[in-house]
Amino acid sequence: MLSEFDLIARYFTRPIRQGGPVALSVGDDCALLAPAPGMQLAISSDMLVEGRHFFPGAEPRSLGHKCLAVNLSDLAAMGARPVAFTLALSLPAAEPDWLAAFSDGMLSLADQHQCELIGGDTTKGPLNICITVFGEVPPDQALRRDAAQPGDDIWISGTVGDARLALAGYRNELALPPEALAVAAPRMHAPTPRVELGLALRGIARAAIDISDGLAGDLGHILKRSGVGATLFVDDLPAGPALARREHDLRRRFTLAGGDDYELCFTAAPERRDEVLAAASRSATSVTRVGRIDKVPGLRLVDAEGAPLALQAASFDHFASP
Ligand code: ADP
Ligand code: MG
C-alpha cells in the first residue's frame, strides 16, 4: 500500500528547473517562488469535483490534463505567463495506475508551459481536485474584465460549442453519431488553454475572459465589470467542426451558451485589428471578430443581417435553480 508520502514523492515530485523562478518546491512547509523583478503575480484557483465537473470514472490522463488546463486558461485570460501551481487532491484510494496516468496528463501539460508543480495537499476522500496557478504579468498589462470600452471590437479565439455538443451526446439530449462524438469529445475532455494568445495580446487587447460557462454569460461579466453593453453577431460565432455540421438553431444555442470551451473572449479598439490578427498568427491561434462593445448596457444578439434575435442565452450557474 502506498503511503501519503510515497504517493507525493512518486507522482507529484520532480526536480526544480534550474534558473527558473522556483527556489524551493515540494517537500517543505511552503514552496518558495522568486518572480522576475517588477512583475505582478496573477493567482487563480479552480476546483473540479467528481460527478459535478466530470463523470465518475473519468479517464485519469485527460482528467489530469483538464484540471490544469482550466487553471492555465485563467492565466491566459489575464495575459499572464504560467510559472507554477499547487495541487490539493482528495482521493478515494491510492491506485498506482490511476495516479500514474493522472500525473502524466497533468505534468505533460505543465511541461509544455514550463509551469512547475511546487506543492499541495493530499487527503483521502471523494475525488476532488483543486489547483492554484501562479503566473506573472507586467504591471498595467493584465487583461482585466473591467477594461472594455464602447466602440471596441469583440473577438473570440478558436471555435466554440463542440464541448457542449459532446455533453449533449453523452446525456442523450440529442442523437450524436459516433464520428461526431469522436470529433467533439476531445474539446470536452482535453481543452487547450490559449496561453500563447493571451501573452501575444498584452498591450493590444483591452479586456479578456476565458469562456468556461458559455460565451453570452462570460461576455456578460466583461460588460458588467466595464459598465458597458454589447452587440453580438450570433451567426458569425465560429462553431466547432462537429457542431458546424448541425442545424442552425442548435449551432446558435451551443455557440452562445455552450460552456467548457476554454477559448478567450477579448475586446480591442478597432484601430488594433491588424495587431490582433498578427498576435493570433504569432500564437498560431485563430481569432474571429464577433461583435462590438456599446455604451448602452445589455447584450443585444443580432443575425447576419443585423436584425435583432430573441434567444435565451443563459449560461451555466452551479447554484441556479434547474
Ligand atoms: P503539511 O503537513 O505542511 O500540510 P504535507 O505533509 O501535507 O505538509 O505535504 C508535504 C509536502 O508535500 C509539502 O511540501 C506539500 O506542499 C507537498 N504536497 C502534498 N500533497 C501534494 C500534491 N498532491 N502535489 C504536490 N505536492 C504535494
Ligand atoms: Mg498538508
Side-chain angles (χ1 to χ4, degrees), residues 56 83 96 100 105 113 138 146 151 156 166 176 179 206 276 307 310:
V83 169
H113 295 283
D146 61 6
I156 61 175
L176 196 61
E179 316 82 70
R206 275 207 265 251
V276 168

Side-chain angles (χ1 to χ4, degrees), residues 280-301:
S281 115
R282 260 200 320 282
S283 55
T285 311
S286 66
V287 294
T288 310
R289 196 153 51 80
V290 297
R292 185 186 60 235
I293 298 289
D294 309 320
K295 260 201 200 113
V296 184
L299 178 61
R300 286 158 292 279
L301 306 176

Side-chain angles (χ1 to χ4, degrees), residues 101-223:
F102 175 81
S103 146
D104 191 54
M106 194 176 62
L107 296 178
S108 304
L109 180 64
D111 287 345
Q112 279 176 40
H113 295 283
Q114 302 202 329
C115 187
E116 299 189 50
L117 176 55
I118 57 169
D121 198 25
T122 307
T123 171
K124 189 165 177 166
L127 184 57
N128 186 328
I129 303 142
C130 182
I131 287 180
T132 298
V133 276
F134 302 84
E136 50 184 37
V137 62
D140 301 323
Q141 287 202 10
L143 307 175
R144 297 164 52 134
R145 295 181 183 184
D146 61 6
Q149 292 187 18
D152 279 2
D153 292 322
I154 301 170
W155 299 80
I156 61 175
S157 65
T159 64
V160 287
D162 266 5
R164 180 66 182 86
L165 184 68
L167 181 65
Y170 289 125
R171 283 184 180 161
N172 290 316
E173 287 171 24
L174 45 77
L176 196 61
E179 316 82 70
L181 184 62
V183 172
R187 285 305 302 264
M188 178 180 166
H189 298 305
T192 305
R194 301 300 188 188
V195 172
E196 294 78 9
L197 178 64
L199 292 174
L201 287 171
R202 280 179 183 173
I204 298 171
R206 275 207 265 251
I209 190 167
D210 64 323
I211 308 173
S212 52
D213 297 334
L215 172 61
D218 287 325
L219 173 60
H221 296 307
I222 289 186
L223 303 184

